[in-house]
Amino acid sequence: MSPARIAVVTTGGTIDSLGTDRLDLAAYLETGNRLEPGALLGSVPELASIADVTEVPFRRLRAHAMTDGDLADLQDLVVALFAAGGADGVVITHGTNTLEETAWLLHLTVATDRPVVVTGAMRPASGLSADGPLNLLAAVRTAASDAAAGLGTLVVLDDTIHGARDVTKAGTIRVDAFADGGAGSLGRIDGDGRVVLAHRPARATSLRGAFAGVDLRGLPRVDVVVSYQGADGVLVDAAVAAGAQGLVSAGTGAGYPTPGEVEALERATAAGVAVCQASRVGSGRVPIVPALVARGWVSTDDLQAWKARILLRLALAAGTTDQAALQRLFDAD
């Protein structure tokens, strides 16, 4: 059989960053130095034994500098790679700070059964025991595997396969930084190179590619407001004044904003702003309690606030504003 054709799109991040020396594992981004184009793939010649790999350059950015325009261009590129028939799978190297957001956006907007795998690194390319090369190898193995077909966008780091909906960066520096809340990872890549899928994702499978026709360059403004003791409604009111068409409230506990925030959110609802209630807690659902329904708000279920923002933006852009219809999207299997 012919080897799988895997396109590797390089967008920058820690994986191709260069620090001042091998022990610079924290301040390396400040140097602004990166590997030359082609050097990352060139450092892993073993890729040739796994797949027919082609590097596809993209502008290289810090993950937290990604704009709507960058994400729209990236999504266009991924769609074009599949449409041209030249790729059986796409791997994207990406900075880890917002990697989960890009993965979730691609899951929602790329309509294909072929794998899209996002990977990165927690240590720079110049660092002692850099993890980027092995992460890249594992990502290509996953993208070339039949087991990855039909799962939507995946995230692969530290020999672990994560689903785009549930994965989050749960640590700032260590190589085992990514976790999946209460859902657990989907599988792993073992030392012998075998891709072991423990289970298939059960949530958001119906949303894979559901927003493929939405123009990512014209998405409505949606802001996230995080609750804390004593918070008033100033940030909520400011977001509405800035033109927000949607708000995600990251409340305390099981989704509880302060009384001052509740008043401001109710004003926002009255003004036609869509409000989704999330939690600032790392895992667990926001129950659909009677007060939530009465206020016209939507529960994000257990979707993290920053991912809820992405789904709400896409839904509003697609013309979905009804409370019940929005709730069905957040509850989707």
Side-chain angles (χ1 to χ4, degrees):
M1 293 179 64
S2 299
R5 298 163 301 167
I6 306 299
V8 176
V9 180
T10 52
T11 74
T14 294
I15 194 168
D16 65 10
S17 292
L18 299 171
T20 55
D21 56 53
R22 296 216 304 162
L23 294 182
D24 180 6
L25 303 178
Y28 52 87
L29 289 178
E30 297 177 8
T31 71
N33 296 327
R34 295 191 180 279
L35 293 172
E36 293 296 323
L40 177 61
L41 268 66
S43 70
V44 194
E46 295 84 356
L47 291 171
S49 66
I50 299 170
D52 179 5
V53 179
T54 302
E55 181 171 350
V56 181
F58 189 80
R59 66 190 71 103
R60 291 194 282 177
L61 303 161
R62 298 181 181 186
H64 46 277
M66 284 274 191
T67 66
D68 282 356
D70 295 323
L71 293 167
D73 289 344
L74 179 60
Q75 191 261 5
D76 284 347
L77 177 57
V78 173
V79 170
L81 288 169
F82 286 130
D88 298 313
V90 173
V91 170
I92 299 166
T93 63
H94 196 290
T96 58
N97 286 348
T98 62
L99 185 152
E100 66 208 71
E101 292 173 69
T102 296
W104 178 232
L105 178 72
L106 293 173
H107 181 84
L108 296 171
T109 61
V110 177
T112 181
D113 286 335
R114 286 172 282 182
V116 177
V117 180
V118 189
T119 191
M122 294 301 298
R123 293 174 181 161
S126 55
L128 185 64
S129 297
D131 56 324
L134 191 56
N135 284 345
L136 176 59
L137 187 78
V140 171
R141 282 195 192 279
T142 303
S145 169
D146 291 339
L151 301 183
T153 300
L154 301 172
V155 170
V156 172
L157 292 103
D158 196 28
D159 295 332
T160 306
I161 304 169
H162 308 272
R165 183 189 184 277
D166 296 312
V167 68
T168 189
K169 187 174 183 179
T172 59
I173 295 176
R174 296 175 64 92
V175 295
D176 59 346
F178 282 78
D180 304 88
S185 64
L186 300 183
R188 63 189 184 276
I189 301 90
D190 278 342
D192 60 357
R194 182 178 176 184
V195 176
V196 180
L197 196 68
H199 62 267
R200 301 177 70 85
R203 301 297 309 276
T205 57
S206 63
L207 297 181
R208 176 167 54 89
F211 298 95
V214 172
D215 180 7
L216 300 186
R217 291 174 176 79
L219 296 180
R221 178 176 184 133
V222 172
D223 289 304
V224 178
V225 179
V226 182
S227 189
Y228 51 88
Q229 283 185 338
D232 56 23
V234 169
L235 296 180
V236 174
D237 291 334
V240 175
Q245 296 181 38
L247 288 169
V248 178
S249 165
T252 61
Y256 288 93
T258 66
E261 289 174 316
V262 168
E263 292 176 2
L265 290 166
E266 288 178 335
R267 289 194 294 272
T269 302
V273 177
V275 173
C276 290
Q277 187 60 60
S279 172
R280 70 178 195 180
V281 178
S283 64
R285 294 177 53 247
V286 173
I288 305 175
V289 296
L292 189 81
V293 177
R295 290 174 179 142
W297 301 352
V298 172
S299 163
T300 65
D301 197 86
D302 64 348
L303 192 64
Q304 297 142 335
W306 42 97
K307 290 185 181 179
R309 171 183 174 269
I310 293 169
L311 179 54
L312 181 57
R313 292 185 85 192
L314 291 169
L316 293 176
T320 303
T321 58
D322 176 72
Q323 179 188 14
L326 287 171
Q327 189 62 67
R328 284 193 292 272
L329 289 176
F330 282 96
D331 291 343
D333 291 332

